[in-house]
């Protein structure tokens, strides 16, 4: 079992496989599933420190595309959620998001609320490309900061 696990980790550590695995983990973690992509990014960079920028950009791309999928899911779910339209918390959240507009998608990197935020942006029919751009910036900064901090505190 240990030999199999070592060979699988070695395979995933290769940049061409590691980056594709990182992309998939980042994409899935941006959906409403509670999976984090930061450990995959950190592990890949510990094994391959020379691909720092490639890994951060791949993680950003996967996570942004996952956020864009959330936006489309929210866009399509507009009719389904009409029945909750009158709750007090719902109205406060909608008011906040409508005031911020697509800039609210800068917060897509936040744990727990970030991914639903992308879906709500779609539900509110906020403009897709500005939302995607703000998601991209927020997610890139998250990966850059988190990875830099982790590599600083755990250099070896």
């Amino acid at each position: 079992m240990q030999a199999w696990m070592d060979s699988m980790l070695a395979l995933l550590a290769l940049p061409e496989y590691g980056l594709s695995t990182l992309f998939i983990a980042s994409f899935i973690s941006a959906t409403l599933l509670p999976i984090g992509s930061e450990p995959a990014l950190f592990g890949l960079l510990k094994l391959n420190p020379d691909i720092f920028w490639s890994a951060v950009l791949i993680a950003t791309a996967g996570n942004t595309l996952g956020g864009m999928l959330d936006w489309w899911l929210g866009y399509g779910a507009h009719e389904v959620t009409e029945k909750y339209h009158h709750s007090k918390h719902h109205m406060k959240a909608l008011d906040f998001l409508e005031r911020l507009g697509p800039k609210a998608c800068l917060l897509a990197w936040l744990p727990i609320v970030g991914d639903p935020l992308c879906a709500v942006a779609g539900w509110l029919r906020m403009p897709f490309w500005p939302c995607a751009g703000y998601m991209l910036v927020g997610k890139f900064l998250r990966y850059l900061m988190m990875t830099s901090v982790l590599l600083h505190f755990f250099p070896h």
Side-chain angles (χ1 to χ4, degrees), residues 40-96:
L41 175 59
F42 181 65
L44 180 63
L45 288 176
K46 289 303 286 181
L47 294 171
N48 302 291
D50 55 318
I51 62 168
F52 178 86
W53 287 109
S54 297
V56 168
L57 292 174
I58 291 293
T60 300
N63 210 251
T64 301
L65 288 172
M68 293 164 77
L69 174 66
D70 289 342
W71 186 96
W72 281 107
L73 291 172
Y75 186 87
H78 185 82
E79 296 299 319
V80 175
T81 58
E82 279 297 312
K83 65 182 177 179
Y84 301 109
H85 186 70
H86 302 292
S87 86
K88 182 175 72 169
H89 297 293
H90 178 82
M91 297 305 287
K92 278 178 97 171
L94 288 180
D95 183 51
F96 170 76

Side-chain angles (χ1 to χ4, degrees), residues 17-149:
Y17 295 112
L19 291 174
S20 61
T21 303
L22 177 62
F23 178 85
I24 292 167
S26 299
F27 181 86
I28 291 172
S29 75
T31 64
L32 300 177
L33 298 174
I35 297 170
S37 58
E38 290 82 5
L41 175 59
F42 181 65
L44 180 63
L45 288 176
K46 289 303 286 181
L47 294 171
N48 302 291
D50 55 318
I51 62 168
F52 178 86
W53 287 109
S54 297
V56 168
L57 292 174
I58 291 293
T60 300
N63 210 251
T64 301
L65 288 172
M68 293 164 77
L69 174 66
D70 289 342
W71 186 96
W72 281 107
L73 291 172
Y75 186 87
H78 185 82
E79 296 299 319
V80 175
T81 58
E82 279 297 312
K83 65 182 177 179
Y84 301 109
H85 186 70
H86 302 292
S87 86
K88 182 175 72 169
H89 297 293
H90 178 82
M91 297 305 287
K92 278 178 97 171
L94 288 180
D95 183 51
F96 170 76
L97 291 173
E98 286 175 338
R99 276 187 282 123
L100 283 180
K103 291 177 186 161
C105 290
L106 272 173
L107 303 174
W109 64 271
L110 289 171
I112 301 170
V113 298
D115 298 328
L117 179 86
C118 297
V120 173
W123 183 80
L124 289 173
R125 308 268 199 279
M126 290 183 184
F128 178 74
W129 289 112
C131 287
Y134 284 115
M135 281 182 229
L136 177 76
V137 170
K139 290 170 182 285
F140 173 74
L141 292 174
R142 175 191 76 188
Y143 281 119
L144 182 63
M145 293 301 295
M146 290 186 82
T147 305
S148 297
V149 167

